[in-house]
Amino acid sequence: MQPVGQAIVVLMSLVAPFVVFGVTIHWLERVIQSQLARWFGWRAVLVTGWLGTPIHELSHAAACIIFGHKIDEMRLFDPDIKAGRLGYIRHSYQKGNWWSEIGNVFIGTAPLVGGSLMLVALMTWFYPMVTWQLVQSIRESQWQSLDSGILMAIKLVWQTMQQVAAESNWLTWKPWLFLYFALCIGSHSAPSRGDYVGAFKGTLLLIGLLLPLTSVLMVFVVEPLELVKKIIAQCLPLWAMMLLVIGLSGLVALLVGLVSMGFASLGRTAVYASSVTSTDE
């Protein structure tokens, strides 16, 4: 395979998992929000948005600062049923500045990282020993390829969730409060449609810069397999955090779905079925 082709494979090993994780988190968020809005009205989303939306917007803001964007206006929590949004941030930058242009990628996808970090911080607060064991397992992990790295991350997250369940006394408030906070964070950590649009141009520029750089590295510095392993070593902790968001969000979505089925079995009609069922942070 030519260096350019090898470089494309290496870049895909970096980008593809984040795309899959982002799409999955986005889908779970929509499932949770639509179920809440269907049975309890649009304002039911506010029960999670008071915490999740500020984290979402502050993640954007932090990335704006890092990449030299000017924050023109920001609303951490400003529900607007007509616009279908809970908060927003408006930012600008100097056109032609390559650092700021590339920054659009990271600004648009920042809630994925910010939400994941906050969820890990939350778990550290509630279950410090479980979090410490997860960190140690990541540091000691061994892998040989992209798929083995992802499978390792999935295994670690599954073990972590089992440990959380084993250490929880479900007759007390602690695990339920943890799941509630996880619902708040996880159901607002996906980028919005506008975030994806803003990140698209920066993504093309980033690939345009990384492709020749990666090709040169593989010709003169490092073998393709070694480069992929180095990438996985840097990405595995973030993959694990995002998978933790997916796992907890999936659990919450299941619980919300069961509650929804309970209402349906009682013969209750979804009186808010025609209401807004999704929000754009």
Side-chain angles (χ1 to χ4, degrees):
M1 185 182 293
Q2 296 298 316
V4 174
Q6 293 175 332
I8 292 174
V9 172
V10 170
L11 289 177
M12 286 300 295
S13 70
L14 173 63
V15 174
F18 289 103
V19 172
V20 173
F21 296 158
V23 170
T24 304
I25 293 172
H26 189 93
W27 177 75
L28 286 170
E29 176 182 317
R30 293 311 184 219
V31 169
I32 293 171
Q33 289 186 358
S34 62
Q35 286 293 329
L36 289 174
R38 180 186 179 196
W39 292 99
F40 306 108
W42 185 83
R43 293 188 181 278
V45 183
L46 307 184
V47 176
T48 60
W50 70 271
L51 177 61
T53 301
I55 292 173
H56 183 111
E57 303 305 340
L58 286 171
S59 300
H60 286 312
C64 284
I65 294 172
I66 292 172
F67 289 95
H69 284 229
K70 177 185 176 183
I71 299 175
D72 300 313
E73 186 179 6
M74 181 168 62
R75 294 289 183 271
L76 295 182
F77 189 57
D78 186 22
D80 186 341
I81 188 170
K82 292 183 179 179
R85 69 186 179 205
L86 299 177
Y88 63 90
I89 180 171
R90 296 193 178 101
H91 54 95
S92 57
Y93 63 95
Q94 183 179 357
K95 295 296 179 66
N97 185 320
W98 66 270
W99 177 252
S100 296
E101 291 276 7
I102 289 175
N104 284 317
V105 180
F106 301 96
I107 293 170
T109 56
L112 288 172
V113 179
S116 298
L117 289 172
M118 286 303 300
L119 193 59
V120 171
L122 176 70
M123 197 171 72
T124 302
W125 181 25
F126 279 84
Y127 302 99
M129 290 305 299
V130 174
T131 307
W132 174 249
Q133 290 174 13
L134 174 62
V135 172
Q136 287 296 102
S137 297
I138 291 174
R139 293 175 61 181
E140 297 169 0
S141 298
Q142 300 293 325
W143 55 85
Q144 299 298 325
S145 62
L146 174 63
D147 55 348
S148 65
I150 294 177
L151 288 174
M152 177 64 69
I154 293 173
K155 178 182 178 180
L156 291 175
V157 170
W158 176 249
Q159 290 175 345
T160 299
M161 293 184 66
Q162 286 181 313
Q163 287 179 299
V164 169
E167 292 191 13
S168 297
N169 181 353
W170 297 97
L171 298 178
T172 64
W173 58 269
K174 182 178 177 180
W176 299 106
L177 185 60
F178 172 72
L179 285 177
Y180 170 65
F181 284 150
L183 167 64
C184 292
I185 296 171
S187 61
H188 296 276
S189 60
S192 65
R193 288 184 293 272
D195 296 337
Y196 286 121
V197 172
F200 181 72
K201 183 179 179 180
T203 300
L204 295 179
L205 179 60
L206 182 62
I207 292 175
L209 290 173
L210 288 180
L211 189 58
L213 176 61
T214 306
S215 300
V216 171
L217 285 174
M218 288 191 299
V219 172
F220 298 104
V221 181
V222 63
E223 292 294 325
L225 180 60
E226 289 301 314
L227 185 56
V228 170
K229 291 177 69 175
K230 290 179 182 296
I231 289 174
I232 294 173
Q234 299 301 316
C235 291
L236 189 64
L238 189 54
W239 290 349
M241 287 192 297
M242 289 188 178
L243 282 167
L244 191 60
V245 175
I246 290 173
L248 289 171
S249 296
L251 177 60
V252 170
L254 177 62
L255 292 174
V256 171
L258 291 174
V259 172
S260 179
M261 290 174 59
F263 276 108
S265 65
L266 293 173
R268 175 173 174 174
T269 304
V271 295
Y272 293 102
S274 60
S275 300
V276 177
T277 56
S278 64
T279 56
D280 216 6
E281 272 86 0

